[in-house]
Amino acid sequence: KPYTLPEVCPVCGAPVVRDEDGAALRCTGAECPAQLQRNITHFASRDAMDIEGLGPAVVAQLVENNLIANVADLYDLHAQDVAQLVENGLIANVADLYDLHAQDVAQLDRMGAKSAENLIRAIEKSKANDLSKLIYGLGIRQVGEKAAAVLARHFGTLDALTAAPTEELTEIPDVGEITAKCIVNYLNQPQAKDLIARLKAAGVNMDSTVQKVDDRFAGMTFVLTGSLTRFDRKTAENEIVLRGGKASGSVSKKTTYVVAGEAAGSKLTKAQQLGVPVLTEDEFAELLK
């Protein structure tokens, strides 16, 4: 018999969407129990809310239960730690992280009072993170770390981003029509509104704390290649964006400058073939002054 694909998630009832270029159906529920462990792991990750300690504190327990057997297994440890919190009924969504108390966490096997206190301290510290980390941490489809930073700087507040229509979003560099639709669909569904309201009530920062320097790089696109010694890659990209420019991962005729560090490879070669100006790190630093 012909199979009819579901229109809503069988677990949480939220609408499902299908990738335009794929076959997968995806739940749009921000609080869907079936996605809970992965969502919390992403939310607590270094590039998102960076909640230190939501991970290795229960390594001994995992070893004793044969959940890890070699160092490679450590790279799955973070998700398994979150699973322990879920299974103990301490959290039901990412907002619940801010309701945790040290005595609750200390109930976990092998999670002593000191480790529990450190985790709660890290969770409290994450409340002050820049808006860009929160946007990325929400796990909106098509919105990576770089796009989250662009959105945070452009709108300034999560409320302003939530109120933005698709047409306004597509006018922002690095935000195409598909990404814009994903943002609008996510922020306007009931589960996301409830989640954001709970995070706001918990005192999580909803504003951008990054101040733009100027617009000297407006309309310019930079590509970084090779090993940089004066800057790490993220810092250099951030300096470009703070001055109105765009950091790209590929070289084209539209590239304004390529910043080449040590052992620069194919991107440098392509820049030379296309006649794109190449800067050393020192020359790039001079442009930032």
Side-chain angles (χ1 to χ4, degrees), residues 3 5-17 25-36 39 189 191:
Y3 179 75
L5 294 173
E7 296 182 356
V8 297
C9 173
V11 176
C12 72
V16 297
V17 295
L25 284 178
R26 302 182 188 277
C27 170
T28 60
E31 298 178 316
C32 179
Q35 303 181 71
L36 176 60
N39 287 348
Q189 50 114 339
Q191 289 188 33

Side-chain angles (χ1 to χ4, degrees), residues 24-199:
L25 284 178
R26 302 182 188 277
C27 170
T28 60
E31 298 178 316
C32 179
Q35 303 181 71
L36 176 60
Q37 294 181 23
R38 181 173 293 182
N39 287 348
I40 294 175
T41 302
H42 173 74
F43 188 85
S45 65
R46 182 182 299 275
D47 291 333
M49 297 300 278
D50 192 17
I51 302 176
E52 184 178 356
L54 193 55
V58 292
V59 170
Q61 179 184 346
L62 297 175
V63 171
E64 290 176 3
N65 286 278
N66 296 316
L67 294 174
I68 55 175
N70 54 52
V71 293
D73 289 341
L74 291 174
Y75 295 100
D76 291 326
L77 181 61
H78 206 91
Q80 292 167 358
D81 289 348
V82 174
Q84 296 295 321
L85 294 172
V86 176
E87 290 171 7
N88 281 268
L90 297 177
I91 48 179
N93 55 51
V94 293
D96 283 345
L97 288 172
Y98 296 99
D99 291 329
L100 281 175
H101 299 288
Q103 58 266 34
D104 295 329
V105 180
Q107 294 174 14
L108 298 179
D109 293 342
R110 300 289 181 171
M111 177 69 97
K114 184 64 176 179
S115 297
E117 290 173 4
N118 289 339
L119 175 56
I120 299 304
R121 191 177 297 114
I123 292 171
E124 184 67 24
K125 180 182 176 182
S126 75
K127 292 180 181 180
N129 283 340
D130 181 64
L131 173 61
S132 61
K133 285 185 167 289
L134 175 59
I135 294 173
Y136 179 59
L138 290 174
I140 304 171
R141 292 279 301 157
Q142 302 292 331
V143 178
E145 188 180 357
K146 187 180 295 185
V150 170
L151 291 168
R153 281 189 291 268
H154 181 88
F155 289 100
T157 69
L158 188 59
D159 286 342
L161 173 60
T162 301
T166 304
E167 296 75 20
E168 181 178 356
L169 288 166
T170 54
E171 295 176 357
I172 303 171
D174 292 326
V175 179
E177 186 175 351
I178 294 176
T179 301
K181 288 181 179 178
C182 288
I183 295 169
V184 171
N185 290 341
Y186 178 92
L187 293 175
N188 284 282
Q189 50 114 339
Q191 289 188 33
K193 289 183 177 181
D194 176 69
L195 178 62
I196 291 169
R198 292 191 59 193
L199 292 172

